[in-house]
Amino acid sequence: MIVIKTKEEIEKMRKAGKLAGQLLKYIEPFVKEGVSTLYLNDLCEEYTQKNGAVSAPLNYHGFPKSICTSINNVVCHGIPSAKEILKDDDIVNVDVTVLLDGFHGDTSATFMVGSVSEEAKNLVLRTENAMYRGIVEIAPGKYLYEVGRAIEKYISRFGYSIVHDYGGHGIGREFHEEPYVHHHYTREDAIRLKPGMIFTVEPMINMGSSWDVVTSREDGWTVTTRDGSLSAQFEHTVLVTDKGMEILTKI
Ligand code: MF3
Ligand code: CO
Ligand code: CO
């Protein structure tokens, strides 16, 4: 069942989304060569608490930290660690989700550490573009698959691949609600969008020709590209409005 949010719920989702956006903006200048991903985690945890919210990833299905940090060939769900030090030429996705007054806000961005290769830079910029290509399709009366279709149409020209195993999701009182949002075209997403629906758009794009991914057998979380290629991701939480859409996590 897809929850249609009421006016009051939308107001709370705006606040949660705004805080998540602010948190991502807050952490950006700390994403530098020489810092550990645990340091970023701890700063985010502190900021979230100071703002009266809870880090939704912490203990979510047993996830051990407050944010996800996914470096280079890590697609998503990377676990922050003191041993993991950012270095020049890394790309790292920082994914934050806050729970504020009963509602979730979820957003992520891939940051470039030091001077990254032209190839990696292109991947990152094009992944962000892909997310926006999907988001601008969102409007009442349209089908959800327009999102994945637009992303696929844009991405196909670069020879990259769109991860199929993880998608966007409805969000509200629950971290992950219906609908599941594919980032490629599929009739499974033949769902009419209605005002008051809220879901994320969060494409994961692999530089290689394969979208295949592997989950770590050691920690049960870290998802990497099977072929070792770089992967980038951006995410926003988006509301379907009467006229179109509103990005709740945009600052
Ligand atoms: N923030 C991720 C998403 O965009 C989910 C992370 S789940 C966790 O849906 F358990 F790894 F935190
Ligand atoms: Co999400
Ligand atoms: Co997220």
Side-chain angles (χ1 to χ4, degrees), residues 95 97 106-107 167-169 171 175-176 200 202 233 235 237:
D95 191 337
T97 312
D106 189 7
T107 183
H169 49 92
I171 180 167
F175 191 162
H176 296 101
T200 70
E202 50 178 303
Q233 181 182 24
E235 175 176 25
T237 298

Side-chain angles (χ1 to χ4, degrees), residues 1-6 9-10 177 193-198:
M1 191 203 55
I2 301 175
V3 182
I4 304 292
K5 272 77 177 176
T6 64
E9 290 170 333
I10 288 168
E177 301 180 354
L193 300 180
K194 292 197 185 80
M197 286 182 179
I198 301 179

Side-chain angles (χ1 to χ4, degrees), residues 16-31:
K18 186 173 176 190
L19 180 59
Q22 286 170 333
L23 171 57
L24 194 60
K25 195 154 217 155
Y26 160 76
I27 203 64
E28 179 168 9
F30 294 101
V31 184

Side-chain angles (χ1 to χ4, degrees), residues 11 16 29 42 44 62 87 91 93 101 114 118 132 179 195 218 244:
E11 220 22 74
D42 294 351
C44 285
K87 56 184 199 313
I91 62 170
N93 175 275
D101 195 14
E118 194 68 21
Y132 284 115
E218 255 155 55

